Amino acid sequence: MPSRSEGATGDGVRCASDAPPQPYVPRRSSESRFVEIRGLRYHLRHWPADPRAAQAAGGERRVHLLHGWMDVSASFQFVVDLLPAHWTLIAPDWRGFGLSARTAADCYWFPDYLADLDRLLDELLPGESVDLVGHSMGGNLATLYAGLRPARVRRLVNLEGTGLEGAVPEQAPLRYREWLDQLRDGVGLRDYPSRAAVAQRLMRNNPRLRADYAAFLAGHWGLPTSGGRFAPAGDPAHRIVNPILYRVDEITEIWRLIEADVLWVLAEHGGERRRFVREPAYRQRLSVIRSLSRETVAGAGHMLHHDQPAVVAALIEEFLS
């Protein structure tokens, strides 16, 4: 860790006085759209298809991208830039993340994301089957949705959305006490003096992240505060523990109903941060999915769409095409 005389803050993040790297320049520009979903103002990031490419391909293709926990829709930019130009890509910021509204409640409930997705698809493509790509939490949501609404999902790409370790009833008392304590005491997120410091935080979390990627992401992941600092673009209440135990038997019964073709993509080094489920149990869960293909991305960690976007984009394009 550098000393303060070398231009670092007490938490090891470089100061704004350091020359920050130039942010990555997107090849495809996104547009913002806001819609009312279940009483909340939802932000959608929209990368429209190139009209000429769509005409040459016989029409545009729509794909929905679902980001992970404590992430934002712009996280997919590096993959989007490498997908076919005749594809229209749409990515929501989940409730309480990015530019979407925060709930008035004091915590978030996982089923609400499923209900939000259901309404979003009704708003965007009513009655049509869709292609979904989800990372981490977004992959979990997409997979559950494909089992709950099997007629709505045509194909699904799950990026590192492994689910959680199965809980046992004996964990319930402690979990509920922890939830009550956090509701009483509150939770918070660290803020940063500059977007350069946000970029350093992102690179510290993911040592494989390119500096220009980090600088780009910092512009979306770090939002200015009234005090002139930058805070993560997520409601701190997302950090409150969920008192409802993760029941694997319920999850697999939902997965068993999936009719879509599913591509499950893991990262070679995903286990560095994937603390959620051990490999044997995970593979046993996957066995209930009717039509499943598996791939592993070499040289990537949990944020595989940042570490190897070209490989991830190629897998998505081949599977959805």
Side-chain angles (χ1 to χ4, degrees):
M1 179 183 298
S3 66
R4 288 181 180 270
S5 63
E6 294 171 314
T9 64
D11 59 7
V13 177
R14 305 295 295 179
C15 292
S17 59
D18 292 339
Q22 290 298 310
Y24 170 83
V25 178
R27 302 178 190 178
R28 294 180 66 172
S29 298
S30 65
E31 303 169 352
S32 285
R33 176 185 174 189
F34 291 88
V35 294
E36 286 291 320
I37 299 294
R38 304 180 61 224
L40 288 178
R41 189 170 186 255
Y42 245 82
H43 174 247
L44 304 178
R45 191 169 302 280
H46 177 249
W47 293 270
D50 179 85
R52 293 183 181 180
Q55 184 177 17
E60 69 172 276
R61 179 73 169 278
R62 288 197 173 201
V63 179
H64 294 79
L65 309 172
L66 309 176
H67 71 76
W69 185 76
M70 296 309 295
D71 206 352
V72 293
S73 56
S75 185
F76 287 104
Q77 182 70 57
F78 318 126
V79 168
V80 165
D81 284 343
L82 300 169
L83 290 173
H86 70 281
W87 288 15
T88 289
L89 291 309
I90 302 170
D93 286 328
W94 293 116
R95 58 171 56 208
F97 290 116
L99 301 180
S100 288
R102 302 183 178 192
T103 178
D106 53 6
C107 60
Y108 288 80
W109 297 99
F110 194 80
D112 276 323
Y113 301 117
L114 287 168
D116 292 349
L117 178 59
D118 197 44
R119 296 287 183 86
L120 277 169
L121 295 180
D122 284 345
E123 173 81 17
L124 300 173
L125 289 171
E128 297 184 33
S129 59
V130 299
D131 293 328
L132 299 177
V133 177
H135 171 252
S136 195
M137 184 186 83
N140 283 301
L141 288 163
T143 308
L144 286 171
Y145 188 78
L148 296 170
R149 296 281 200 228
R152 292 300 312 274
V153 182
R154 187 181 77 95
R155 287 184 178 172
L156 161 65
V157 179
N158 183 314
L159 306 172
E160 283 275 306
T162 56
L164 303 175
E165 193 73 49
V168 294
E170 290 77 13
Q171 294 174 270
L174 179 60
R175 184 74 64 82
Y176 270 99
R177 291 188 193 109
E178 186 178 1
W179 176 66
L180 289 172
D181 290 344
Q182 290 183 341
L183 288 180
R184 179 194 61 203
D185 300 335
V187 294
L189 293 171
R190 176 180 295 177
D191 60 10
Y192 300 89
S194 66
R195 282 209 166 100
V198 174
Q200 287 292 329
R201 153 74 189 275
L202 293 172
M203 288 190 290
R204 190 168 70 246
N205 283 359
N206 178 14
R208 297 179 181 85
L209 185 63
R210 284 172 31 178
D212 60 332
Y213 284 6
F216 169 83
L217 292 170
H220 299 276
W221 196 82
L223 298 181
T225 70
S226 58
R229 294 174 67 85
F230 293 85
D235 190 337
H238 286 294
R239 296 192 61 189
I240 294 176
V241 68
N242 189 340
I244 305 301
L245 300 180
Y246 188 82
R247 301 182 179 97
V248 174
D249 54 348
E250 295 179 7
I251 298 300
T252 52
E253 284 305 309
I254 296 173
W255 287 7
R256 200 182 303 276
L257 301 176
I258 295 173
E259 298 176 2
D261 295 328
V262 179
L263 173 62
W264 212 284
V265 185
L266 290 179
E268 178 186 11
H269 305 293
E272 295 171 351
R273 292 190 62 200
R274 195 198 310 124
R275 55 178 176 79
F276 309 120
V277 58
R278 296 180 180 88
E279 189 72 10
Y282 167 64
R283 293 193 176 276
Q284 184 177 1
R285 294 180 198 180
L286 290 183
S287 66
V288 306
I289 298 177
R290 177 188 60 83
S291 177
L292 179 71
S293 302
R294 304 180 192 179
E295 296 286 349
T296 299
V297 177
H302 182 62
M303 304 300 286
L304 70 177
H305 54 319
H306 297 167
D307 299 344
Q308 296 290 347
V311 176
V312 172
L315 288 171
I316 293 171
E317 179 179 358
E318 180 181 6
F319 185 73
L320 296 187
S321 298

